[in-house]
Structures are given as C-alpha cells and as structure tokens.
Amino acid sequence: MLRDEMLKLIQAGILAPSADNMQPWKFRIDGDCLELSLDRNLMGLFFDPADVASKMGCGAVLENIDQQARSMGLSIDIDPYSVTDQSTPIRMTFTAHDQQRSDHYATEVFSRCTDRGLYRKSLQVNEADRKKLDDAVRSLSDYSLTFYDLDNQRKAFTKIVYKADTIRFSHEAIHNDFYDVLRFGDHAEKSKDGLAQETLGIESVFIPILRYLRPWRLTHLLNRMVGLHHMMALRGVWLPMVTSPSLVSIVHTGPADYLDFGRAMERFWLQATSCGLSVQPLGAFPLFLARLSTVDGEGFSDTQISQLERLEEAFADITPSYQGTDRQLVMLFRIGYSKCAPNRSMRRTVETFLSE
C-alpha cells in the first residue's frame, strides 16, 4: 500500500470520539500493516477508569478505519491476539478488492460530531430512521438499542442522567480534569485537542462564569451554599434532554469488551449522522458504572456509590435489555435535529500521531 493510502486511513481513524477529545492514540505504519496503540501521556482522567474510555475510543478508531477502508476497496483484518493482549499494539492488515464497496459510512466518518446544542423537540425521528439505527447496533452481536418513548420512561431516564451529573459537578477530581481539558479563547486552535468553549453548546454568557469557577474551593463552596452542582446539571443535561425528541441507550449482553463497545457506539453514531440526526453521548452515568465494575468505585464516596447503585436499579426498571446478569451499559445518547450547525471538535495533524 502507498503511504498516502495509510495516511488517509489514519485520518479517518483520528476523527473518532475520545474522552474529552484528548485523542490518546499512536499509529505505526509497517508495510501493509497499521498498528494502533494508546498514548499514556494523554490518559488518566477520572472518566477513564481502567482505560475504559480510552479502549472505547480505540474501538471507534477501528470502526472509522474499517469504514474508510471499505470505501477504498480494502478489507481489514485485525489480529485478534493484539486486541486481547492490551500490552501490544492493535495490528491491522489490509487487502485490496477488485472494486470499491458501497456498504460503508466513509462520508459520515468525516462529518460525524458531538452536538451539545438544543434540538427541535417537535421534529420526531421517523420510524424508518429508527429502524436503521436499530439495525446498525444489532449488526454487531449481542447489542440492543432502546428508545425511551413513554413519558414515564423519559422522566426516569432524565432523572437518572441528571442525578449522575450532580455527582459529576460536585466531584473535585472530575472538576480538575474538566478544567485541564477545557480550552478557552484561542487555546483550542493552538492545542487542537480538548474541549473548545465553542463546542460546549452553552450560551456565551456562561463562558465568563466557567472561567470564574476554575478554583475548586470556590465551586465547592457554591455547591454547598446555593446548590451550584444542581444548576450545572440542569443546564448541562436536563434542559438538553427534555428538549430532545429521542433518548436512547445501547446495552451489551455478555462480558465487557470495551474495544467492541467503541465500535458499536461509533457505528450507531455514523448511522445517525447518515440519517441527518444530531447526537450527544451522555457519558457520565455509563462511565460511572464502569468505574464501579472495574475498580470497585475507587474515587467515589460510600454515599456516591450507594446513589449510583440505586440509579442503576432505576435504569434496569426502564430498560428490559439491562435486566438480568452479565449486562453492560455501553452508552446513553440524546438524538434529534439541531437548531443550528454545531461547532466541531478540533483534531491534531496526522503527523503528530505517527510513531516509528
């Protein structure tokens, strides 16, 4: 394969989502093979327990590369040993077909983004698109997609995510991580990573307030005095959810495979993009549950662990696919039609991801 072809595959890969857009990936080109590994210098966030979020990001990278390879008339073979052995890079080999394939989301790879703005609630997702989304998720084994359509389901879903986010906004480590990755002004243009203020989907009047709240001691004081964490969760997730036409979850049956989770998440997202839908993952609650299951809730207080366990029970009550044993919550989303074009997260140049 030509080097330019490999670079095109890498370009597709790095457009995958990652925890707080930190893009913790490294690539090495070895002839017709491409190796993907994690960059430990860009990991370690509270939202990444046992590398869960980073592994899911790698899974999304693999999905993007697979879709781009299909559009180039290539098939991808992923070395199963390199996937199961986390100490070695994921090794991909590409084989040329006689002609390009049409069953791909390559166009969507380059247009997919997170849209944190408000959606048009009156414009519902039609049945044909709902079926396409369901088919995309079920194209991978042991995954299911749930739409929360009934009023009581929507209220319960919204309450679960809202309460999880109040924990998020009252947690010192998460607060500090957030400000480490938040990019004000032209900092995002310089770093090409992290959360640019324009991508947060909030009104411009809140940006100076965010700057002011950087010191944890001040935020903690306001949490205690006026319930700031409740206000942040109301604007951050409650308002976007109640104005969204659809709230959905992806659940997996069987042992956790976070690389595969990332592929399922990204395939859903690409199909939603193909349908003209805006998408925002609601990641706090799923990643909090991952923290409970992978590191026994390390970093949470006993009270917070008990609260999350109750929220998990409430989630099972409205999600039949999550009932029983050996069930994993992959991700929650809100989807709909945006009121205005979102600002896309930036990406570093391909060359910065290459290693020898």
Side-chain angles (χ1 to χ4, degrees), residues 277-334:
L277 291 164
S278 292
V279 178
Q280 181 188 0
L282 304 166
F285 181 58
L287 291 173
F288 284 172
L289 293 187
R291 191 168 196 88
L292 293 184
S293 64
T294 58
V295 294
D296 296 324
E298 179 185 345
F300 286 127
S301 67
D302 290 342
T303 299
Q304 290 168 336
I305 290 174
S306 296
Q307 185 177 5
L308 288 169
E309 289 172 343
R310 290 194 297 272
L311 293 178
E312 184 177 21
E313 292 174 0
F315 178 72
D317 288 341
I318 60 170
T319 313
S321 61
Y322 196 71
Q323 296 167 3
T325 59
D326 218 11
R327 302 293 194 270
Q328 315 289 336
L329 174 58
V330 176
M331 188 54 63
L332 304 176
F333 295 95
R334 67 183 187 98

Side-chain angles (χ1 to χ4, degrees), residues 60 63-64 67 105-112 133 265-275 279:
E63 183 66 19
N64 279 7
Q67 298 299 332
Y105 296 111
T107 300
E108 289 74 20
V109 164
F110 288 86
S111 58
R112 181 213 63 83
L133 293 170
M265 177 185 72
E266 184 72 345
R267 192 168 300 183
F268 165 84
W269 208 329
L270 294 174
Q271 179 60 68
T273 303
S274 178
C275 293
V279 178

Side-chain angles (χ1 to χ4, degrees), residues 1-7 9-10 27-36 65 69 72-79 90-97:
M1 287 180 62
L2 298 176
R3 182 177 175 84
D4 284 349
E5 292 177 311
M6 281 294 192
L7 294 179
L9 293 169
I10 295 172
F27 294 88
R28 190 175 79 88
I29 299 173
D30 181 16
D32 288 345
C33 297
L34 184 62
E35 292 183 348
L36 166 65
I65 291 176
M72 296 166 60
L74 302 171
S75 62
I76 181 174
D77 180 59
I78 302 173
D79 181 0
I90 299 170
R91 190 171 177 85
M92 295 163 273
T93 305
F94 302 92
T95 306
H97 287 290

